[in-house]
Amino acid sequence: MAIATSHPLSLSRQHVFWLLHLTGWGAYVAQGCLYAVAHGKPSGYWVVPATAATMGALVTLGLRYVLKSCWSLPPRRLLALMVPLILASSAVIDFVTREVLVDFCETCKPTTQLEFIAYSLGYIYVLLAWVGAYMGIKYYQQLQDETARALAARSMAHQAQLKMLRYQLNPHFLFNTLNAISTLILDRDNATANRMVQGLSSFLRHSLDNDPMQRVTLRQELDALTLYLDIEKIRFAERLRIETAIDEDCWRALLPSLLLQPLVENAIKYAVAKQVAGGLLRIAAERDGDQLVLRVTDDGPGCSALEGDQLPPGKGVGLRNTRERLHVLYGEASGFSVRNLERGIEVTLRLPFETSQMLGD
């Protein structure tokens, strides 16, 4: 049955239509009765406005069917179709109502063709009001539907973009990790190779299982980042030195999951791996008013191609992905900058300072 497959929203709108339809024509009857009382009409005169309202309710249901069937027509064609139907509907209401009216007013029956035409147009203003209200409400509902679809499409596009950015795992990291595992196996250092495989498995499982649309606390983010750094520590041993400086109230701040991993990976690739003595990686977080400020700093050779915080062309995929994720999630409320230090590079992220308590979770 059609009712079984109808959308709940359609059922709700059906209820609204019948409520407005019956209430409107009911009000028309009440107004007619008040008019009769005000002008001293006989007690049974209520049947006249009741008849007019009944006929009006029936013919406007027909007009509604036509409007729904022909709604996709161009406005001019729809208008050309509705005008004669409204005129005919007015004539039908007048014809039936006048048959009742003559019992109270014998002189109210038209005697000439001109009077007949004039009487036939007597209900046109009521029908025009009904059609105008119906079309206005329908256009409003259509606009609401289109707005909802546009918002849903935009949300889906943002989610798809975030997931694409989030799942662009760096082949360089995977290649080097697997190559290191292979070397360890060839050197018969099976215990270290096993630890590295387990670390890689844990990191990839966390990375792929974690929803990029969900946000985590900074503590959870650093716990996940530790899975990645444990792998790199096996590769670089004492060459990789790590420092953290996290303000106490920042541990509970929310941020997109694995936001820092591409930045840390980028620093290891260009600052630690390229130096014989290795390098220092520093992760810092502080609160600046209503913003969370995150910094990833290394003491590598820097990048001479950085000019005015602009990323060098053809490089910095991890940096670009991080910047894009921030922009998609927070828009103008976020900030992203990269600058050369006297030694090394500093990447700074700014995003709204939010906690689960602030969001009402």
Side-chain angles (χ1 to χ4, degrees), residues 238-272:
E238 67 278 0
R239 292 177 60 207
L240 174 59
R241 302 181 301 279
I242 301 171
E243 289 183 0
T244 58
I246 312 297
D247 285 357
E248 188 61 33
D249 59 345
C250 291
W251 286 111
R252 58 193 178 91
L254 294 175
L255 68 159
S257 64
L258 287 182
L259 182 69
L260 298 177
Q261 189 270 332
L263 307 181
V264 171
E265 181 178 342
N266 201 69
I268 292 175
K269 177 180 177 181
Y270 292 105
V272 178

Side-chain angles (χ1 to χ4, degrees), residues 82-193:
M82 293 306 299
V83 168
L85 290 177
I86 292 174
L87 294 175
S89 299
S90 177
V92 170
I93 297 174
D94 178 75
F95 176 79
V96 176
T97 305
R98 198 158 298 280
E99 292 298 318
V100 177
L101 181 62
V102 293
D103 293 339
F104 301 92
C105 177
E106 294 183 358
T107 61
C108 292
K109 196 167 186 177
T111 57
T112 65
Q113 186 175 8
L114 186 61
E115 286 183 348
F116 178 81
I117 294 175
Y119 287 150
S120 297
L121 299 177
Y123 292 93
I124 191 171
Y125 70 94
V126 180
L127 295 174
L128 286 174
W130 189 96
V131 171
Y134 179 86
M135 294 182 69
I137 293 173
K138 192 167 181 68
Y139 273 122
Y140 172 76
Q141 291 175 341
Q142 186 173 307
L143 179 61
Q144 291 288 88
D145 290 343
E146 290 177 355
T147 301
R149 285 194 294 269
L151 290 175
R154 185 179 303 173
S155 176
M156 292 175 63
H158 281 183
Q159 291 184 29
Q161 184 179 4
L162 282 173
K163 290 181 179 180
M164 180 272 292
L165 295 172
R166 168 68 170 71
Y167 290 138
Q168 283 185 341
L169 293 175
N170 195 333
H172 181 270
F173 159 66
L174 292 176
F175 172 80
N176 284 339
T177 302
L178 294 174
N179 187 57
I181 293 172
S182 176
T183 301
L184 290 171
I185 293 174
L186 290 175
D187 292 343
R188 300 186 182 279
D189 189 354
N190 295 335
T192 305

Side-chain angles (χ1 to χ4, degrees), residues 19 47 65 72 87 102 134 154 160 219 282 345 355 359:
L19 177 64
V47 74
Y65 175 79
S72 59
L87 294 175
V102 293
Y134 179 86
R154 185 179 303 173
R219 185 178 298 277
R282 190 172 190 271
I345 288 178
T355 64
L359 297 177

